[in-house]
Every structure is written in structure tokens, then in C-alpha cells.
Amino acid sequence: LTAALRLVDERGVDALSMRRLAAALDIDPMTIYRHLPDKAALMRGLVALVFDELTLPPMPGASWQDQVRAFAHAYRTLARAHPHLLVYMITHAEAASNAALAAGEYLLAALEGAGLTPRRALLAADVIVDFLNGFALAESSGRLGQPGERRELLELLHGVPAHQYPALRRVLGALDEPEMMSDFDAGLNVILAGIEAA
Amino acid sequence: LTAALRLVDERGVDALSMRRLAAALDIDPMTIYRHLPDKAALMRGLVALVFDELTLPPMPGASWQDQVRAFAHAYRTLARAHPHLLVYMITHAEAASNAALAAGEYLLAALEGAGLTPRRALLAADVIVDFLNGFALAESSGRLGQPGERRELLELLHGVPAHQYPALRRVLGALDEPEMMSDFDAGLNVILAGIEAA
DNA sequence: ACCTGAACACCGTTCAAGT
DNA sequence: ACCTGAACACCGTTCAAGT
């Protein structure tokens, strides 16, 4: 699994094949099948391995907002450590059962501390996780990772009659490139404010 | 492209191969290469085709919240119409340049109407889009689509000593299955409230 | 010049042939 | 019984051989 993860991290998911993994381990491809039933099991193993890296710092006494922030940063750090696996992790999260329990406990304990009802705590947890997944995916798939990545949108706007898309022009025209960067902490604060309002 | 989209919608992305597409069209596989340079171009064409289905209803006079809700529902409808392509759409959104401009205009016009500065309007748009992508992905990849899909989490909880994960037990124990469903509109309201707070 | 099938370099996995 | 390489049924794409 660690050899497979190295292949994925260094060269992307497409570089992980049973045959290349075998070559990296200097064994016959079919030998892998004595340890795992098929490639799907290999992928599930990678997801479990990576999610187990999630380290949630205990924050006794901290505000529920800071606990949620700690969770969010831990999750983002994990996502950035394995950008090539992220899509697979999100769509096959069920393979990370143990880490999912620990993550759920951490997040729901924080939201209970905010005084939310069970129904609203679960709702808030879903909103947070959906935002984290959406942000991490945008970040890892090239969109909005660093300044200048909004440039292609600006170039599109240049190639189109000037009276079209006025709001888009006003907003983007008022900002310089660093300001157009997607801001993880500011986005998280929007969601925290929304939870507080409830 | 429509034949390729039908294959993806009916049997998933893995069912789309140049050879199967050719078979569906009753032509030689290599004939496809006279219309498109490679499979990546085929996939980009699918993303553009699908994003062009996004229909954003004009809502003159409506509140900015209702305009954002209209956008969110249009996006979710699109995602649910092509669940098998969704991951590819999100990670290759740059292939949908025209629809991206129209979507950005709609969303930013609504957020300008909320009285946000350009910086905060763009930030809010990113939070909304990240949430929409995260939610749609959870919905389409089996997680949280319908009631009972939180059951595997409950079963995991059963197989573990009763003193572990107390918050998770309290929250889930207080809810019946329909209440555990992820709620799109309620989640969106959390984000709208967070934007209002700014 | 335009078109296309054979061929190449890959896949994941089955299965029979070895030990 | 355990192990593994040849073989099978696929891929995307190149390229030479046709028209």
C-alpha cells in the first residue's frame, strides 16, 4: 500500500496499475492478488491508509469555532498531502470507516458545544464537510490554488463584447490578482457565522 | 458527443471507451479521430455539452437570497441529471468556459445585490460553489442521497465499545432516519445566513 | 489527400501449468 | 496446496497500407 501510495502521490492515479506496482516492488503482477482480491481493494486500502493520517488536535477549553477551524485545517492538510488521490477519497469515503468515526466525533462534539440541537449539529457538520470537499477539490484540481488561476476567466471575458457580463466585469475589475485568490479561512468564517445565526 | 453522453449517463464513465462509442455509432474506432484529436477532447466536449444545459431563470425583483437559491437549484438539477459525469465536470470545469461566464455573472449579480464589496462577493461565490460541488458529489457518489445511507455509520458505531464516540452517539441517537438525511435547502440557508452576517 | 484497419503498447484478471 | 506466468479480453493511439 505504501508503494502504491508513493506511485499515486508522485505520478497520479493513472500511474498506479497492478503491473507498475508489481514492477516497483520487483514482483510478478499476479503476486499482488495473493494479498488483495482486486484493484478496487487496493484503492480502498489507499483511502483507509490516507484517512488514518488525519490528526485531530485535542482542543479542550477552546471555543467551538476554533475546534471547527482545527478540524478544517487538519482535513485541508490531509487533502493537500495527497492531491492526486483526493477525488477518489471523496467519492469512496466509506472505505475510511475508522477515521470517519473519529472525524465525526470531533466535529459533532464541537457543534454540540455551540449549543445546537442534534438535528442542526448534523446539518452544520454536513455543510462544513461539503464545503471542505468542494474547496479541497477546487484547490487540488488546479482551480484557485494560487494567484493567477482566475486569469483564464479574465481572458475569456476579454474575448467577448464589452457589454456582456457586467457584474462579473465590475467584481473582477475592482480586484487585483492576489485579492482574487480563494481564501480558505475567510470562507470557513462565512460558514461559522451562518451556524452562529441559527 | 450525444452518443458518448448517453453511454456515460446510462452505464457510467468507465463504459465510455473510444471502441464502445464507435460500436454504438456503428463506425470504425479510428473514425472518431477525424472529429476529435483524442479522448481528452471527447471528455472536454461532454463537459461543455452538459454545462450548457445549465438553465438559470431570470429573477428580476427577487431578493438576492432567492436568486442564489435559484442558482443553487439549477446547479443541483444539472448535477443530478448526470451523476456519473459529475466528478469529471468538477475537476475539469475549465472546459465549460461559456457556461462558467454565464454562471459567474448570475451569481455575482445576485451577491452584488446583497450589497457586498467585490472582494466579499467573490468570496461568497466561492463558498457557495464549493458547497454546491461538495453536496452534489456526496449526493451522486451514494453518500447521503436518500434516507438510510447513514446506516453504515450507525452499524460501525454498534461494533465499537459503547463509551467511544459519545457525541456521535448522542447526536445520531436523538434522530430517526429521515432526520439524518442531508438537507440541501437547510444547508444553503446556513450559508446565506453567513453571507448576511458579513 | 483522405480514410481506416492492423498493430503496438498498454490494462485488470483468469486460469492452467508448474512447484 | 501454493504460486505464477501465459493468455484473454479489453484499452487509447500510431502508422502503414489502402482508396
Side-chain angles (χ1 to χ4, degrees), chain A residues 110-127:
Chain A
L111 294 167
E112 272 190 328
L116 299 179
T117 63
R119 178 86 186 82
R120 293 207 70 87
L122 192 60
L123 172 69
D126 280 341
V127 172

Side-chain angles (χ1 to χ4, degrees), chain A residues 19 28 30-31 34:
Chain A
R19 295 167 121 104
D28 184 276
M30 285 313 297
T31 302
R34 299 211 311 109

Side-chain angles (χ1 to χ4, degrees), chain A residues 144-159:
Chain A
L144 316 180
Q146 45 230 19
E149 275 179 349
R150 206 87 73 161
R151 197 173 301 163
E152 60 185 42
L153 195 65
L154 283 168
E155 281 167 14
L156 271 173
L157 219 43
H158 263 265

